[in-house]
Amino acid sequence: MKFIIRSFFRTLRIVLGPFMQVWEFVTRPKGVVRAPELQQAVNQQCQSLVLYQFTTCPFCIKVRQEMRRLSLPIERRDAQHHPQNRDDLLQGADTVKVPCLRITDAHGQSQWLFESGAIISYLQGRFAVV
């Protein structure tokens, strides 16, 4: 039974995936424009952030769209097709659940933030243009 369910969702992803990627491209928001020195500061802050994602996950697409809207160059790692990224996510967060934002502080400690709504709220709170 588990095999049938996994096969069904795998097939669904294969069929719908390209349409979801086209939709993401077509609905791409325009990013905010900041002064160069402000954008440089944002870019520096984004170096401590990593988004673990699946390419065709609708919740991951939602987070990526918000990253574009806020003009955030956050590193993205595909946890679906790259075993090393999947292992890093499993080892650090104890689960393979996406989207997941890894936030590393100045002391090297990592915090793992799940759920697209929570990630978007965090990004808006930290990087929103007033």
Side-chain angles (χ1 to χ4, degrees), residues 36-125:
E37 55 276 354
L38 291 176
Q39 186 61 47
Q40 183 63 27
V42 167
N43 294 351
Q44 186 70 25
Q45 291 178 39
C46 287
Q47 290 180 356
S48 66
L49 304 174
V50 176
L51 179 70
Y52 289 85
Q53 54 148 12
F54 291 173
T55 307
T56 57
C57 166
F59 301 105
C60 297
I61 291 172
K62 186 176 168 183
V63 172
R64 289 195 305 262
Q65 295 287 54
E66 186 63 21
M67 288 168 42
R68 282 188 195 92
R69 193 184 71 72
L70 293 172
S71 300
L72 303 176
I74 296 173
E75 179 184 354
R76 295 182 283 178
R77 295 186 182 169
D78 186 355
Q80 184 175 17
H81 298 108
H82 294 89
Q84 181 59 45
N85 294 339
R86 186 181 191 88
D87 292 343
D88 291 346
L89 180 59
L90 182 60
Q91 188 175 38
D94 295 328
T95 184
V96 178
K97 182 178 175 186
V98 293
C100 180
L101 185 68
R102 186 182 75 193
I103 306 162
T104 306
D105 65 15
H107 304 293
Q109 299 295 322
S110 292
Q111 175 187 355
W112 299 82
L113 186 60
F114 295 99
E115 303 297 330
S116 60
I119 294 170
I120 290 170
S121 294
Y122 172 79
L123 295 176
Q124 288 173 344

